Amino acid sequence: MNYADIKNYDTANGPGVRVSIFVSGCTHHCKGCFNKEAWDFNYGKEFNEDRENEVLKALEPSYIKGLSLLGGEPFEIQNQKGLIPIVKKAKNKFPDKKIWCYSGYLFDKDILGEMSSKYDETKEMLKYIDFIVDGEFNEDLKNPSLRFKGSSNQRIIDVQKSLKENKVVLWEEDK
C-alpha cells in the first residue's frame, strides 16, 4: 500500500489533535475531491514498517486523541490489507485513542454488506475502527460548516455500537 501523506498534528479529521494517514488509491473519483492525486494507487510512498513505527510514535503524546484514516480510499481492498497491521497495533497500544476512518463507501450497504461477505480483511479492519464517515463526497451538497465531513449526505457512524446493535448508530458528539 502507498500513502499520499501522514500528518502528525491534524485537527480537521476527527475530534482533538490526531495523527492522519492519507492512503493512495481510490475508485470513487468524486467530483470536487480535495485529494485527486491520491486516486492513483501508485502515488506517494510505500507504507512500510518504518512508517508504521513513525505513526505509533506520533500517537504517544497524551494530547493526541487518535488516528484518522483518509485517502484515497481506506476501504479499497489493497488499502485494507495495508492498514490492518497499523490499526491493530495502534488500538492495542493505545486502547483509549479513537480511530476514525473516512470512506466513500456506505457503511451498511457496501462495507457491512458486499465487502464483509467477500473479504475477511473488512471484518478484521472493522474490529479496530471506532467511527466511520461514510458516503462519497457530493460537491452539490458541500457544506463547510459541517463538522468532520464535507457534504451533507455523509454520516458519522459509531462503528462498534452499530456492530453490537446490528443497525447504524450515528455518532453523538461528546458534550
Side-chain angles (χ1 to χ4, degrees):
M1 175 190 84
N2 280 8
Y3 71 97
D5 196 11
I6 295 173
K7 294 186 183 209
N8 291 337
Y9 308 101
D10 185 358
T11 58
N13 297 301
V17 181
R18 314 181 63 72
V19 176
S20 293
I21 303 170
F22 293 78
V23 299
S24 294
C26 181
T27 57
H28 299 296
H29 299 181
C30 301
K31 180 182 173 191
C33 176
F34 79 98
N35 204 8
K36 284 183 180 178
E37 59 274 359
W39 291 355
D40 180 353
F41 286 89
N42 296 312
Y43 179 77
K45 299 175 185 166
E46 180 186 355
F47 190 78
N48 56 29
E49 194 173 341
D50 288 340
R51 297 299 82 74
E52 267 187 29
N53 291 332
E54 287 175 16
V55 167
L56 292 171
K57 181 81 173 150
L59 285 166
E60 286 178 359
S62 61
Y63 62 85
I64 298 291
K65 298 301 179 200
L67 175 65
S68 293
L69 311 172
L70 306 94
E73 171 58 66
F75 271 92
E76 298 288 0
I77 186 60
Q78 50 272 66
N79 290 336
Q80 290 182 55
K81 290 175 181 179
L83 287 169
I84 287 170
I86 187 64
V87 295
K88 185 176 183 176
K89 288 174 186 173
K91 190 50 86 172
N92 287 335
K93 189 170 183 180
F94 308 106
D96 294 332
K97 297 191 186 224
K98 302 300 180 199
I99 298 177
W100 279 55
C101 183
Y102 286 74
S103 177
Y105 291 107
L106 294 175
F107 177 71
D108 38 357
K109 179 180 176 255
D110 301 318
I111 296 171
L112 287 182
E114 191 175 322
M115 289 179 180
S116 285
S117 63
K118 250 205 269 197
Y119 307 117
D120 290 336
E121 291 88 352
T122 303
K123 290 179 232 159
E124 180 72 9
M125 196 152 129
L126 287 173
K127 291 179 189 177
Y128 306 105
I129 295 174
D130 297 291
F131 298 96
I132 190 165
V133 179
D134 82 334
E136 290 187 8
F137 170 73
N138 183 324
E139 190 172 47
D140 295 333
L141 300 175
K142 180 180 179 178
N143 183 344
S145 69
L146 294 171
R147 195 149 186 234
F148 309 131
K149 52 188 185 170
S151 55
S152 60
N153 61 299
Q154 295 173 314
R155 305 175 292 179
I156 302 175
I157 296 168
D158 186 321
V159 172
Q160 298 311 311
K161 281 186 183 176
S162 296
L163 293 173
K164 185 178 179 182
E165 296 181 23
N166 203 27
K167 66 177 185 177
V168 172
V169 178
L170 298 179
W171 175 58
E172 292 182 30
E173 187 172 356
D174 300 332
K175 303 293 181 218

